[in-house]
Amino acid sequence: MSDDDRLKREAAQRAVELVRSGMILGLGHGTTAHQALVRIAELLRAGTLRDIAGVPCSTQVEAEARKLGIPVTTLDEHPTLDLTIDGADEVDPNLNLIKGGGGALLREKVVAQASEREAIVVDEGKLSSALGTRSPLPVEVIPFGWKTHIPYLESRGAAVALRRAPAGEPFRTDQGNFILDCRFGPIRDPHGLARGLEARAGIVAHGLFLGLATDLFVAGPNGVRHLRRAT
């Protein structure tokens, strides 16, 4: 295991310390969030945690949770979640995020909005003074008329690329949608950009997660830092 992977595992394990028996959890998507899944499964097997159920943020995470023995539920059965543990592609000083590099942004945002507490686990390389500095912004669009969004996104300053699967065809989300990866550079007004994206028919989600994260666990050479969003 590389030093980076070890640090991420330590940060994910720190985030799992927030989990209590009886909780309904959001199960995040991605390699860092997977470390949290593994730890939750270990605690369940040891009997340290009991009566846990999780809402997966993707079909891949659902399969991983079932394989690890974590009970799976749905938002229809539990519309409010106690805690979600997830990763992020970029984090600003106010704990606003860019997410969606793994392609699960729509379900991740639905789960985040349903959560009383959203704990994000990252390494120090994901920290940024302004969203968009390090990471493109994923924008999920329905396949019908997807190219019509490109001029709008370009008018907002983005360089736009259709995300593709390894074989070269368009990448498809769990909902069958496409993702446009948009390189804006530093985004001066993320709230204004979010409102503009949400106003366009055909855009079903974007990777700006604003005001949703409550806790941030940052893995670095000097250990793990736990930050809380100011209220």
Side-chain angles (χ1 to χ4, degrees):
M1 179 179 290
S2 70
D3 287 343
D4 284 346
D5 289 339
R6 178 181 56 79
L7 290 169
K8 288 180 182 178
R9 182 181 66 181
E10 290 177 4
Q13 291 177 347
R14 281 282 301 278
V16 172
E17 292 176 6
L18 300 178
V19 179
R20 299 289 182 268
S21 294
M23 279 188 170
I24 307 299
L25 304 174
L27 306 178
H29 178 89
T31 55
T32 304
H34 179 74
Q35 296 291 343
L37 279 186
V38 171
R39 181 58 176 161
I40 291 167
E42 290 174 350
L43 295 173
L44 285 170
R45 287 195 296 271
T48 307
L49 288 177
R50 299 179 178 82
D51 302 320
I52 293 293
V55 175
C57 287
S58 68
T59 56
Q60 176 184 333
V61 172
E62 180 176 356
E64 291 171 350
R66 292 186 186 279
K67 184 176 180 180
L68 289 167
I70 299 173
V72 170
T73 186
T74 67
L75 285 175
D76 291 339
E77 295 174 324
H78 297 281
T80 300
L81 306 179
D82 297 295
L83 169 70
T84 290
I85 300 175
D86 208 345
D89 302 309
E90 191 170 358
V91 186
D92 78 6
N94 297 315
L95 271 61
N96 294 316
L97 319 170
I98 286 180
K99 289 178 51 57
L105 61 157
L106 177 55
R107 291 194 185 188
E108 286 177 321
K109 186 169 285 187
V110 172
V111 168
Q113 290 174 342
S115 300
E116 297 286 348
R117 197 170 184 181
E118 172 93 348
I120 298 297
V121 182
V122 296
D123 61 72
E124 286 187 344
K126 302 294 179 63
L127 303 182
S128 172
S129 60
L131 296 181
T133 303
R134 296 178 177 272
S135 176
L137 176 67
V139 176
E140 185 168 340
V141 298
I142 65 171
F144 176 78
W146 68 269
K147 288 186 178 180
T148 65
H149 302 296
I150 294 178
Y152 171 75
L153 293 164
E154 290 176 340
S155 77
R156 300 297 299 258
V160 183
L162 175 67
R163 188 179 299 186
R164 295 190 179 276
E169 73 277 12
F171 173 86
R172 296 266 186 170
T173 69
D174 283 346
Q175 286 70 43
N177 296 321
F178 295 165
I179 289 181
L180 301 177
D181 286 311
C182 303
R183 292 195 174 273
F184 285 95
I187 299 171
R188 296 180 181 178
D189 182 11
H191 290 275
L193 177 58
R195 288 192 296 270
L197 296 173
E198 290 160 7
R200 287 189 62 86
I203 291 179
V204 296
H206 58 76
L208 290 169
F209 283 54
L210 308 178
L212 292 173
T214 59
D215 298 76
L216 179 68
F217 292 86
V218 184
N222 297 321
V224 178
R225 291 182 288 150
H226 179 194
L227 308 176
R228 294 291 302 272
R229 178 163 53 87
T231 56

